[in-house]
Amino acid sequence: MSTRSSIVTIKTIILIIILTSCRSTGQYVAPSTQLGLITQWNEMQFVFPTTDHRQLAVFQGKYVRGNSVPLDVDLDYSDTGRSRLFVTVPRFQEGIPITLGVVSTSFATNESVIHAYPSYSWQESHGANCDGITSVFRVAIDECERLYVLDTGRIGERLYCPPQLLVFNLRNDKLLQRYKFPFNILQDTSILVTPVVNVLDPPPGKCRDTQVYIADVTTFHMIVYDMKTRSSWRTANKLYYPHPTYGTFNVAGETFDLMDGLVGMALSPKNTLGGQQMFFHPMASTSEMTVPLWVLNNRTAWENAGFFDYYQPRAFIELGDRGTQSVAQAMDRYGNLFFGLIDPIAIACWNIDSPYDNQNIKIVSQNDATLQFASGVKIITNRLGEEELWVITNRFQKALTGSINMNEVNFRILAIPTNQLLDINKRCVGTPLTTKFTSFGKFSI
């Protein structure tokens, strides 16, 4: 199937032009502001190398229509001649042909389609080749033009391969580093779902001093990987755990139960007073937490602590209760944390210099149709040095309840320049969240 290079460049330019014209009037974005639609699907559409590859995938049960649910999004602005939009499609079950891909537009159908990254051969074994890619929940792109791919090694409940982190050079799509996590820091049920990257020597530095923080959603740990030493260690705290009360989710009138632990993570800016902090929350929770990076980075202390022992447990702080669950989150350069809400169905924002309460958490965009289950949230710096908020929504409740209707739009990628969501002081602008809160005050270092 022939395709034209990318839907992202044209649509992003249009989006920026429209929103810049609004900005020039001096208007702030109203709380009901809608994120710009980049692309959408009723069902995911995949590109195979040949018709024979497609037919074989169907015959072997490796491609089943309707089984694919996208989870994460990221954007590569590194090449001035193109923009590449990455999407992940975890293999929650059999029948998902591509788990990591790049979005383009089909000449034949004018629909958005997914090409396997870095190639179809990397993903076609479905766990038979552990040097390939088995299943990816989320990815990250850093300022050194590197793509971090977190491969769970699982299809459904079955573990085929050791979980691994793959790092690709986006300039040439070559593999820079592969790290297979040792099982002494994991458990049999570990599922690694979220990578957050911190580059301590970004350009013009050499990009060698880099840590990757990884959420283990099922065994309630955070893994730290040091790229320079190619070593990893496990951190533990009670705040990584899900809360039974919030293991029931109600999205747009449909209910499901899911006791997922640590999922949402975001780093504060490098110039944070007192040092960088990691902000995080379990999925089955309504609270936001924080911990200083120096606690997570103390490899020796964590290795000496043992599997279930805690190091510096009081350094982990519960900031407050937002009154509803959240999945993914990301932070901008001004310390504004953006995250999706389950109920109300919205995108919210909070600045780390304010208490975590209902007056300071602002709803910056709300749409009951387009924002159902924001599973991927990213802050991306474009070629002009401006930050953009990118979100993927997937109506995940319908996948879990078996109610997906392929005659409806189910999956969307949306974006907006973050300046349109901030006031003159670079703080979030929107309506205060009206759900009931329990505030634990402002964090201190």
Side-chain angles (χ1 to χ4, degrees), residues 142 146 148 165 167 176-177 197 207-212 225-231:
D142 70 9
R146 299 179 295 197
Y148 297 77
L165 179 68
V167 185
L176 290 173
Q177 192 172 126
V197 180
C207 297
R208 293 176 180 172
D209 194 359
T210 301
Q211 276 83 42
V212 186
Y225 173 60
D226 188 302
M227 285 188 65
K228 183 189 293 185
T229 62
R230 299 200 179 199
S231 60

Side-chain angles (χ1 to χ4, degrees), residues 136-265:
V136 180
F137 275 65
R138 291 181 179 86
V139 295
I141 295 175
D142 70 9
E143 53 266 60
C144 304
E145 301 177 9
R146 299 179 295 197
L147 173 69
Y148 297 77
V149 178
L150 193 55
D151 182 1
T152 69
R154 291 182 180 273
I155 299 177
E157 297 295 322
R158 181 178 174 183
L159 181 65
Y160 286 83
C161 298
Q164 62 179 341
L165 179 68
L166 304 168
V167 185
F168 289 93
N169 183 344
L170 288 172
R171 297 174 186 172
N172 56 21
D173 298 326
K174 301 297 184 183
L175 183 66
L176 290 173
Q177 192 172 126
R178 179 197 303 270
Y179 182 77
K180 295 189 177 183
F181 292 93
F183 280 102
N184 66 330
I185 67 166
L186 302 176
Q187 293 177 255
D188 292 342
T189 56
S190 289
I191 301 179
L192 308 183
V193 297
T194 307
V196 173
V197 180
N198 195 31
V199 182
L200 300 179
D201 58 341
K206 296 184 178 180
C207 297
R208 293 176 180 172
D209 194 359
T210 301
Q211 276 83 42
V212 186
Y213 303 88
I214 297 163
D216 186 340
V217 68
T218 48
T219 69
F220 321 132
H221 292 96
M222 188 187 300
I223 308 299
V224 183
Y225 173 60
D226 188 302
M227 285 188 65
K228 183 189 293 185
T229 62
R230 299 200 179 199
S231 60
S232 60
W233 56 96
R234 177 189 56 251
T235 75
N237 190 269
K238 64 182 181 181
L239 296 182
Y240 295 162
Y241 280 68
H243 194 296
T245 302
Y246 304 112
T248 297
F249 295 75
N250 189 315
V251 184
E254 295 186 80
T255 301
F256 64 91
D257 289 344
L258 190 62
M259 284 297 292
D260 272 3
L262 180 64
V263 170
M265 302 195 304

Side-chain angles (χ1 to χ4, degrees), residues 44-312:
M44 302 304 291
Q45 302 292 333
F46 300 99
V47 176
F48 294 82
T50 67
T51 301
D52 288 344
H53 282 87
R54 180 187 179 94
Q55 291 175 345
L56 181 62
V58 172
F59 176 76
Q60 294 178 336
K62 294 179 178 179
Y63 178 33
V64 178
R65 286 187 57 191
N67 278 16
S68 300
V69 177
L71 196 77
D72 196 25
V73 62
D74 217 328
L75 184 62
D76 171 25
Y77 271 129
S78 61
D79 189 329
T80 56
R82 65 177 178 181
S83 301
R84 291 191 293 181
L85 183 61
F86 289 90
V87 172
T88 67
V89 188
R91 286 172 169 151
F92 293 117
Q93 57 185 327
E94 300 286 350
I96 299 168
I98 293 172
T99 185
L100 171 63
V102 177
V103 181
S104 69
T105 304
S106 166
F107 271 124
T109 64
N110 201 36
E111 293 180 315
S112 295
V113 293
I114 309 297
H115 294 256
Y117 181 90
S119 69
Y120 187 77
S121 62
W122 272 81
Q123 304 183 37
E124 65 180 337
S125 80
H126 291 243
N129 176 12
C130 292
D131 288 329
I133 297 174
T134 303
S135 180
V136 180
F137 275 65
R138 291 181 179 86
V139 295
I141 295 175
D142 70 9
E143 53 266 60
C144 304
E145 301 177 9
R146 299 179 295 197
L147 173 69
Y148 297 77
V149 178
L150 193 55
D151 182 1
T152 69
R154 291 182 180 273
I155 299 177
E157 297 295 322
R158 181 178 174 183
L159 181 65
Y160 286 83
C161 298
Q164 62 179 341
L165 179 68
L166 304 168
V167 185
F168 289 93
N169 183 344
L170 288 172
R171 297 174 186 172
N172 56 21
D173 298 326
K174 301 297 184 183
L175 183 66
L176 290 173
Q177 192 172 126
R178 179 197 303 270
Y179 182 77
K180 295 189 177 183
F181 292 93
F183 280 102
N184 66 330
I185 67 166
L186 302 176
Q187 293 177 255
D188 292 342
T189 56
S190 289
I191 301 179
L192 308 183
V193 297
T194 307
V196 173
V197 180
N198 195 31
V199 182
L200 300 179
D201 58 341
K206 296 184 178 180
C207 297
R208 293 176 180 172
D209 194 359
T210 301
Q211 276 83 42
V212 186
Y213 303 88
I214 297 163
D216 186 340
V217 68
T218 48
T219 69
F220 321 132
H221 292 96
M222 188 187 300
I223 308 299
V224 183
Y225 173 60
D226 188 302
M227 285 188 65
K228 183 189 293 185
T229 62
R230 299 200 179 199
S231 60
S232 60
W233 56 96
R234 177 189 56 251
T235 75
N237 190 269
K238 64 182 181 181
L239 296 182
Y240 295 162
Y241 280 68
H243 194 296
T245 302
Y246 304 112
T248 297
F249 295 75
N250 189 315
V251 184
E254 295 186 80
T255 301
F256 64 91
D257 289 344
L258 190 62
M259 284 297 292
D260 272 3
L262 180 64
V263 170
M265 302 195 304
L267 282 172
S268 68
K270 290 185 173 65
N271 61 357
T272 302
L273 182 64
Q276 277 186 282
Q277 298 265 325
M278 175 67 76
F279 292 84
F280 65 92
H281 61 256
M283 183 167 156
S285 169
T286 59
S287 297
E288 189 67 25
M289 332 293 186
T290 187
V291 62
L293 275 198
W294 66 263
V295 174
L296 300 176
N297 290 343
N298 193 333
R299 175 185 177 182
T300 302
W302 287 109
E303 289 179 340
N304 291 337
F307 203 95
F308 292 105
D309 292 333
Y310 297 161
Y311 167 64
Q312 293 285 339

Side-chain angles (χ1 to χ4, degrees), residues 286-351:
T286 59
S287 297
E288 189 67 25
M289 332 293 186
T290 187
V291 62
L293 275 198
W294 66 263
V295 174
L296 300 176
N297 290 343
N298 193 333
R299 175 185 177 182
T300 302
W302 287 109
E303 289 179 340
N304 291 337
F307 203 95
F308 292 105
D309 292 333
Y310 297 161
Y311 167 64
Q312 293 285 339
R314 303 298 171 256
F316 291 77
I317 298 171
E318 185 174 5
L319 295 172
D321 190 326
R322 75 183 77 84
T324 183
Q325 300 106 323
S326 176
V327 188
Q329 61 186 25
M331 189 170 291
D332 72 6
R333 62 176 62 126
Y334 304 111
N336 296 303
L337 183 68
F338 293 89
F339 48 96
L341 299 177
I342 297 297
D343 183 19
I345 299 172
I347 302 297
C349 177
W350 166 75
N351 186 276

